[in-house]
Amino acid sequence: MSGNSSTMGSAVVISVLMVITGSINTISTKWADITESKDIRGEKTEFNHPFFQAACMFFGELCCLFVFKINEFRKGRAAAAGSNMRYVAIQNEDVGESPRSDEPTQWNPVIFLLPACCDMTATSLMYIGLSWTYASIFQMLRGSVMIFTGIFSVVFLKRKLGKHQWLGMVVVLIGLTLVGVSSIMGPSDSNNAPNPVGGVIVIVIAQLVQATQMVVEEKYLTKYEGIEPLQAVGWEGFWGFLVLSTLLVPMYWIPGTATGGRLENAPDAFVQMGNSVQVMIAILGNIVSIGFFNFFGVTVTRTISATTRMVLDSVRTLVIWVFSLMIGWQKFQYMQAVGFPFLVLGMFIYNGSLKVPGLQYDEDKKQQQLAAGEGDTAESKHLADSRLVEGTLSQRRRKASLHDVLGLSIGFEMFTKYCTEARSRENLKFWGAVERFKQGGGGSRDDVLAPQQARIIMETYVTNSAMHQVNLPAKLRRALEERMEAGDIDRRMFSTAQECIYDLIQRDVFPRFKNSTAFEEFIDILEEHHRNIEIGESKQETQDQDEHRGITIKPTLRVG
């Protein structure tokens, strides 16, 4: 019980910190824009340095790389401290694979250069737009990236969007139109919003560039294994900071609107920072907040859900809007108040968090077919639209997740067989045992059996004398032992340990499985079953063929 409440408390704290740091990032940037300070000529002017601010933001993202390296160092020390490490690598000849088959796809940090250049362009444009319009308008218009990303994914990635996604994009477009009109109809503010129309146009163009970045990342980066989110953010920050800092030099000699009639005047930016505590705090707030915002965002996605992250980003927009109204940065405009709910509603519809009556979703079709006794057929139709049955073998190797494989009984069986050959079966067996333990609790009998089942898991996989001990941090192992001794047993008590082992499987043996002949055989079976369905064979004929080969294609243990 105490473990669950502690986890819930941590989730709330992380969520609140994500909203706070995200809000500070936009507010601090706008604060710097409207703050006056003595420039390099000794005149008091506003801090008009969008490219310099973008470089500072990239430096904040670069800090995420430092955090990632520190975490990796700590994980390495924890793994080295394990007293009974049984999760061992194997030689290629043990499974009869090619010399490179058990290696994750190698990648070079240069792969982040192109996405970083897109991000650099988009961020610079956004900061120009932010200096021209209100902070709340800026934050709301950023929702247009969903529309451009959806369209680009259809055109360039050949993806099929559901009706609910198209509807969500239309609703967001309505909200964006209302917000944009409110900016145009509202009175211009020479200090806080000197060019609201231009600001709207530039921000929307920036979202177009950012959507390009997202498509580039998905098309070219998904083929590389082992790239952690914080690592990706850090390397994009590295390249963005390096490239933009270099470009600040020629920008000094290009005519523009910055101090001295230059496109960007970095020396003047440092002078203004030195002459104003407010500007200094705002710039430092930008750097620190973007690093923490990315860190908390990744944590929310991993520990709670991506949907929660989307909701929190909407809360962040609301916080910025309310803050701007409270301190007088802008006046209340009713069309903005009407447009904001449309933006949030559209995002929820697009992501499937809010289901629209009359629209059938993929999971609904699957449930109906399963309820009608068409389980295998429904599963195969689901696979027809999944990453496992589309594209070349190399593309499916890149896109297939551990969740995909464990979600099918044939996948679970073949991966278990591979793990046995790779001498890592105890990790997968532990994961499966905990999954079954978590799915108990269906009645009073299950409650009585829970302590006995928990003790079996402990004695088989967790304790130092366990026959099939898995590699868990010593602190977590002791915590589980203490809970057993105290009788503090519930169906979620092994969840953290299960996540640790899941991550270990995902980082080590799963990449090797995807590059093995076992994965090819797994894909062949799925393709054959799918072809049988497509050519119109009856359900019974398909089942007979599968039974002849000893194959069962159906959902297995529910993952997560």
Side-chain angles (χ1 to χ4, degrees), residues 294-306:
N294 279 292
F295 174 76
F296 291 128
V298 169
T299 305
V300 166
T301 301
R302 284 188 162 186
T303 59
I304 308 176
S305 69

Side-chain angles (χ1 to χ4, degrees), residues 307-363:
T307 302
T308 302
R309 186 173 183 176
M310 179 195 69
V311 173
L312 293 175
D313 216 34
S314 301
V315 174
R316 169 193 174 197
T317 303
L318 184 62
V319 168
I320 294 169
W321 185 22
V322 172
F323 180 85
S324 299
L325 292 171
M326 288 176 60
I327 66 173
W329 278 3
Q330 70 177 91
K331 294 180 180 179
F332 179 80
Q333 297 177 23
Y334 73 92
M335 289 195 69
Q336 189 177 354
V338 175
F340 177 66
F342 274 94
L343 292 174
V344 177
L345 180 64
M347 292 178 188
F348 273 83
I349 293 174
Y350 182 90
N351 286 281
S353 302
L354 179 65
K355 294 191 176 183
V356 180
L359 293 182
Q360 196 169 35
Y361 295 75
D362 290 339
E363 56 268 31

Side-chain angles (χ1 to χ4, degrees), residues 534-548:
E534 279 194 324
I535 63 177
E537 288 189 9
S538 67
K539 174 188 171 185
Q540 188 58 50
E541 290 173 333
T542 304
Q543 289 178 340
D544 289 345
Q545 289 182 4
D546 288 345
E547 288 172 4
H548 178 70

